[in-house]
Amino acid sequence: MADLKPVEAALAALLEGVQPVGSERIPCDRAAGRILAEPVAASLDVPPFDNSAMDGYALNHRDAGRWLRVSQRIAAGATGEPLAADSCARIFTGGAIPAGADCVVMQESVEIDGDRVRVPAGIPAGDNIRRRGRDVAAGSELLPSGEPLEAAALGHLAGQGITEVTVRRRPRVALLSTGDEIVDPGHPLGPGQIYNSNRPMLKRLLEQFGAEVVRVAAIPDDAEGTRLALATAARETDVVVTTGGVSVGEEDHVRAAVEALGELDLWRLAIRPGKPLALGRLPDGEREARFVGLPGNPVSGFVGAWLFLRPLMGALLGAPSLAELPGLAARADFATRTGPRAHYMRVRLEFGPEGITAHAFRDQNSGVLSSCIAADALAVIPPNREVAPGDSVNCLWLRGA
């Protein structure tokens, strides 16, 4: 198997020359999960003024240890007066620190006698104060280009009063199925037929990776119909994904159609599952759609989507966070041995006081899709490697990735 290629080489070929897609301006309340197309600068300090981090009393630290008159009350949203001599201000969380005060003492730490309070000694300047600009300084970069707009980032935008943002449009993807043996759910199964589990699985993964699946169809089992289906998909999309072998079989017309329309490169990868992979380009005038042919076995398609479609969507979206899966070192609770191909094993991770333990699913066959449902990660076992229980293995984290 000397002609088997590593995953890294195929991924480099897939991403070569990929440029980010265009952008669009949308309201922030519709931007969840989208990718910023340009950096956003802060126009406001956050917080915009020194404010109290708790309910208590604002004073000058030099007056700590004394009885002080409570000269005013400052709630959140209110602006107080400068502190009078020998006084403090009753203040609540978020309230603006008045001029002359430089610390806040929590309300539980003072003695109260009418309109006077006794403050304990030793309160340092700056204590319990959230300084202006501590989080964000006006003029600084608020969010970089390529940032996914998840919960905290959306809150950051709202904190600046921003209502619209420029994001990458979603890459348009066609998801095409091959094989007369594949039947859509809702239709009766004939002899030798199976339901199409790849389509809903890959559609959801592509959407999770930031794509918009605009065409879902079966490729007709004839040469001209296959060519027309691929040509139509290429005109409408940025990426065309097929499932099923791109081989030299008499009933396989995808290979010839892709070669007639553009370029095709067949890869035999040194991985398990998912050895066959087809990469290509389908030109349409001055633009072209990328072609990715995934294996038909559902687990091979699942693993291939994470290894190839996710970073491809990341390149099209200009999102560095999608370039590679987060890696975690874990202790194996299983034994295995690999041959010339790396094994991407479905594992469940257990986080304990002594570290992370990887529990492998018993049946790692490429047709056992149930192993992917509860899988937290893919444990990557390099070629020609023997793993014993307790050995360290590198795992690619799938949850929330």
Side-chain angles (χ1 to χ4, degrees):
M1 297 190 180
D3 60 339
L4 294 179
K5 301 292 193 295
V7 168
E8 294 78 12
L11 185 58
L14 173 64
L15 300 182
E16 183 180 4
V18 173
Q19 296 296 319
V21 296
S23 61
E24 57 184 344
R25 189 83 173 168
I26 63 173
C28 286
D29 61 7
R30 292 198 292 109
R34 302 295 293 273
I35 305 296
L36 272 181
E38 56 187 33
V40 177
S43 59
L44 303 173
D45 289 326
V46 179
F49 47 82
D50 291 354
N51 68 89
S52 178
M54 61 181 55
D55 293 349
Y57 295 85
L59 65 147
N60 190 289
H61 76 283
R62 291 188 296 268
D63 290 330
R66 301 174 52 203
W67 283 93
L68 300 173
R69 179 173 58 88
V70 180
S71 58
Q72 56 185 307
R73 183 179 185 275
I74 305 173
T79 301
E81 300 293 331
L83 274 186
D86 301 319
S87 78
C88 63
R90 179 73 167 114
I91 197 166
F92 298 88
T93 304
I97 302 299
D102 62 6
C103 64
V104 173
V105 60
M106 68 177 66
Q107 60 189 14
E108 295 86 353
S109 299
V110 304
E111 297 178 50
I112 302 175
D113 182 12
D115 65 350
R116 297 193 312 150
V117 296
R118 183 176 181 178
V119 179
I123 306 298
D127 206 30
N128 297 320
I129 291 179
R130 296 185 290 220
R131 293 296 187 189
R132 174 176 180 170
R134 176 176 178 174
D135 186 14
V136 177
S140 66
E141 184 177 77
L142 185 73
L143 295 169
S145 176
E147 180 74 20
L149 293 178
E150 300 300 346
L154 291 169
H156 233 21
L157 293 171
Q160 294 287 314
I162 294 172
T163 59
E164 290 188 340
V165 68
T166 301
V167 298
R168 293 288 174 193
R169 68 167 175 81
R170 292 186 175 96
R172 295 184 293 265
V173 178
L175 181 56
L176 309 179
S177 305
T178 69
D180 286 343
E181 77 279 11
I182 304 299
V183 177
D184 289 334
H187 298 275
L189 289 174
Q193 293 185 320
I194 60 174
Y195 283 121
N196 190 345
S197 58
N198 275 322
R199 178 181 290 172
M201 175 186 71
L202 292 174
K203 182 175 184 292
R204 176 59 190 141
L205 284 174
L206 284 162
E207 291 169 345
Q208 184 177 333
F209 302 155
E212 179 184 10
V213 180
V214 298
R215 174 174 284 270
V216 177
I219 295 181
D221 201 19
D222 65 83
E224 182 60 18
T226 298
R227 190 190 67 79
L228 288 175
L230 289 172
T232 300
R235 282 196 298 271
E236 298 176 351
T237 63
D238 305 293
V239 179
V240 177
V241 178
T242 63
T243 56
V246 182
S247 67
V248 294
E250 294 180 5
E251 299 301 323
D252 186 0
H253 305 288
V254 175
R255 176 176 182 173
V258 175
E259 289 176 332
L261 293 169
E263 305 173 15
L264 180 68
D265 191 7
L266 298 177
W267 291 75
R268 296 178 71 246
L269 300 179
I271 66 170
R272 172 186 169 208
K275 180 171 68 174
L277 178 73
L279 305 177
R281 304 176 186 223
L282 298 170
D284 179 45
E286 296 183 356
R287 60 175 295 278
E288 65 181 12
R290 296 295 172 124
F291 172 81
V292 180
L294 293 175
N297 284 328
V299 177
S300 299
F302 179 84
V303 173
W306 284 101
L307 297 183
F308 297 104
L309 295 183
R310 184 178 185 270
L312 176 58
M313 293 307 119
L316 290 167
L317 289 165
S321 61
L322 294 175
E324 58 184 9
L325 287 165
L328 295 172
R331 184 177 60 254
D333 82 334
F334 55 88
T336 190
R337 177 181 296 183
T338 57
R341 292 187 287 164
H343 194 181
Y344 287 72
M345 301 180 67
R346 280 79 68 205
V347 297
R348 180 178 58 82
L349 299 183
E350 179 184 358
F351 295 81
E354 297 181 357
I356 307 171
T357 301
H359 302 276
F361 290 90
R362 184 179 299 277
D363 193 342
Q364 293 283 327
N365 184 275
S366 62
V368 182
L369 186 58
S370 57
S371 66
C372 300
I373 295 173
D376 299 312
L378 300 173
V380 184
I381 314 301
N384 305 307
R385 181 71 57 86
E386 184 172 355
V387 173
D391 288 349
S392 179
V393 293
N394 183 46
C395 297
L396 301 179
W397 180 244
L398 303 180
R399 299 293 184 187

